[in-house]
Amino acid sequence: MQPAAAKWYDRRDSVFVDFCVEDSKDVKIHFKKSKFEFNCVSGTDNIKQQNSVDLVREIDPKESKYRRTDRSVLCCLRKVEAGKSWPRLTKEKSKCNWLSVDFNNWKDWEEDSDVDLSSFDKFSEMMNTMGGDDIPDLDGAEEEHESADSDDEKMPDLE
């Protein structure tokens, strides 16, 4: 058996660990308060992979979940102490060669207040649902079109 490569990132109420295993089968994950274990068989060569992770802080095993896709297995570890950041995933301070930080999903949420975050989430949701023609006129004034606008002039023919 060998450990599966994984990336992790921290959020306000959960920590996410994404195991990079393609075509995983027989996925078994056991969540415990201060530890979790990951087992699977992956790829066309049926490689057995196993990771045992002693966590730096406690999780809620009943609220922790995972989701399998063709390319990975994403684990959502629900924090016991929501709002407290994790300096690392593992209890050991030494670097694990199979584990890295998922910088694409990392977010410095500690410095955001709850009010700022909720406002940002509402704004993001509004922008995602908005179509291009539905942009509101924020100041209520209509645009004035100038007759000398260069965009309205006909381009000369090419020779």
Side-chain angles (χ1 to χ4, degrees):
M1 283 203 220
Q2 66 184 36
K7 294 180 179 183
W8 80 284
Y9 59 99
D10 187 22
R11 287 290 191 268
R12 190 172 301 280
D13 58 356
S14 300
V15 171
F16 293 88
V17 182
D18 195 12
F19 289 97
C20 307
V21 287
E22 291 188 18
D23 301 323
S24 59
K25 300 178 277 285
D26 302 328
V27 175
K28 293 180 182 109
I29 300 178
H30 301 286
F31 298 109
K32 299 174 185 172
K33 269 190 156 315
S34 59
K35 180 179 190 172
F36 81 99
E37 296 172 357
F38 170 81
N39 291 290
C40 78
V41 177
S42 69
T44 55
D45 296 336
N46 291 325
I47 300 168
K48 292 182 181 180
Q49 299 191 304
Q50 178 182 10
N51 297 67
S52 182
V53 184
D54 290 317
L55 299 166
V56 70
R57 296 214 166 96
E58 290 187 349
I59 61 170
D60 183 347
K62 293 179 182 174
E63 293 295 318
S64 297
K65 300 175 179 141
Y66 71 93
R67 180 178 45 114
R68 184 202 156 287
T69 67
D70 290 340
R71 298 189 147 267
S72 69
V73 178
L74 179 64
C75 298
C76 175
L77 311 174
R78 183 67 71 175
K79 293 179 179 179
V80 168
E81 296 178 82
K84 192 167 186 178
S85 69
W86 287 25
R88 62 189 172 278
L89 181 67
T90 62
K91 186 179 273 187
E92 302 87 32
K93 291 184 179 182
S94 60
K95 181 167 173 31
C96 300
N97 60 357
W98 55 267
L99 183 64
S100 63
V101 174
D102 187 349
F103 288 107
N104 290 333
N105 289 307
W106 193 269
K107 181 179 177 191
D108 286 331
W109 54 264
E110 297 172 290
E111 297 165 9
D112 295 336
S113 70
D114 289 333
V115 174
D116 294 340
L117 188 62
S118 65
S119 298
F120 179 76
D121 288 345
K122 288 177 186 173
F123 176 74
S124 295
E125 184 179 332
M126 179 184 76
M127 292 304 290
N128 288 336
T129 58
M130 225 185 227
D133 296 332
D134 297 335
I135 298 174
D137 187 7
L138 298 176
D139 61 1
E142 291 184 25
E143 272 187 48
E144 294 180 21
H145 295 286
E146 295 180 19
S147 59
D149 191 358
S150 63
D151 291 321
D152 294 339
E153 295 175 10
K154 186 179 178 192
M155 296 282 297
D157 293 331
L158 295 174
E159 294 180 13

